[in-house]
Amino acid sequence: MEQKQKSELTKQVILNESFKLFYRNGFKTTSIDKIMKATNLTKGAFYHHYKNKKELGVEVISSKIQKRVYDGMITPLYQDGNALEILEDTFSRRLKSFSLFDKQHGCPMNNFINEIADEEEAYQIALKRIIEEWKAALIHLIERGKKENTINKKYANNAIAIYLISAFEGIRGIRKLYNDDDILDDYILGLQLYIDQLKA
């Protein structure tokens, strides 16, 4: 195996294991030593790719977490079809798709926001970029719905987008407190009622 490929594989192992540890145990409590133990790599391998834990944290956000949000919540918003149905389906389907582990540990992005976003501008920028692109995708879909006369033109695009993101992230956090999905079922019902109000 070429050195460049080997180096890239090593970097991916560090990223993958770091994401898992941050998600399971939190960013602050996960040390570089714990990451290296999980990867069976040396500290030299870590410092070959990253100056420090902060740099690693930013890359976990901008690669691993961003991909999760893109795949689950942004890309589906650009599909063809009825805008309101896409909105409801994207949010409810994503909630229903989560494993028990995901439900018990909440949203990785939201966990990062709550744990460290107020401490470093680099984290804020990386996390805000994801939120802004999610918001832009929602606004695009809402605007399309208005043009196609399925969404009421009187509602502000930004307000709908921010409300949907905030409610979704909120229920991901609240679900961590419960041992069953009743709270998620109530959220999905509330989502349906909210989306019904947006109809043209």
Side-chain angles (χ1 to χ4, degrees):
M1 185 184 295
E2 292 183 15
Q3 186 59 38
K4 188 176 180 182
Q5 284 180 304
K6 188 176 179 183
S7 178
E8 186 55 34
L9 280 174
T10 299
K11 187 175 184 180
Q12 288 305 313
V13 168
I14 294 170
L15 269 176
N16 291 338
E17 290 304 316
S18 298
F19 170 74
K20 290 176 190 173
L21 289 169
F22 295 158
Y23 191 15
R24 184 184 303 115
N25 304 320
F27 181 79
K28 290 179 180 177
T29 60
T30 302
S31 64
I32 293 171
D33 285 336
K34 287 177 181 175
I35 294 167
M36 292 303 94
K37 185 176 179 182
T39 59
N40 291 316
L41 295 169
T42 64
K43 273 195 175 180
F46 177 89
Y47 288 110
H48 175 73
H49 294 286
Y50 300 101
K51 287 188 290 190
N52 49 42
K53 187 180 160 187
K54 179 176 118 177
E55 189 176 87
L56 171 64
V58 170
E59 186 155 353
V60 166
I61 293 166
S62 59
S63 61
K64 305 297 289 182
I65 292 176
Q66 181 169 306
K67 184 175 182 344
R68 281 176 62 107
V69 177
Y70 266 68
D71 291 349
M73 299 305 298
I74 295 176
T75 301
L77 298 174
Y78 288 104
Q79 64 187 313
D80 294 331
N82 181 289
L84 283 175
E85 289 175 6
I86 290 168
L87 275 180
E88 184 177 336
D89 184 58
T90 299
F91 282 83
S92 62
R93 188 185 68 249
R94 185 65 173 153
L95 275 181
K96 292 172 183 175
S97 74
F98 288 123
S99 67
L100 181 59
F101 180 89
D102 285 326
K103 290 172 183 175
Q104 291 173 332
H105 289 81
C107 172
M109 178 178 66
N110 203 22
N111 292 348
F112 263 84
I113 289 170
N114 288 321
E115 187 179 8
I116 61 170
D118 61 339
E119 296 179 8
E120 287 282 351
E121 188 178 7
Y123 301 142
Q124 292 174 352
I125 291 168
L127 290 161
K128 189 177 176 183
R129 185 180 300 120
I130 301 171
I131 295 292
E132 287 299 314
E133 293 191 22
W134 189 3
K135 184 174 79 171
L138 282 164
I139 289 170
H140 172 81
L141 179 63
I142 294 160
E143 192 58 38
R144 180 167 70 78
K146 288 181 177 181
K147 286 176 183 173
E148 294 169 356
N149 207 34
T150 55
I151 295 178
N152 195 313
K153 293 179 175 63
K154 73 178 181 179
Y155 298 118
N157 298 346
N158 275 6
I160 298 170
I162 289 298
Y163 178 79
L164 287 170
I165 291 170
S166 301
F168 183 82
E169 290 302 312
I171 198 61
R172 291 295 316 279
I174 291 169
R175 172 58 179 83
K176 293 193 284 187
L177 303 173
Y178 293 85
N179 295 319
D180 57 47
D181 288 344
D182 289 350
I183 195 87
L184 296 184
D185 295 337
D186 287 338
Y187 166 83
I188 290 169
L189 178 58
L191 175 69
Q192 292 166 345
L193 294 170
Y194 177 74
I195 288 176
D196 279 345
Q197 297 300 309
L198 301 178
K199 287 180 181 176

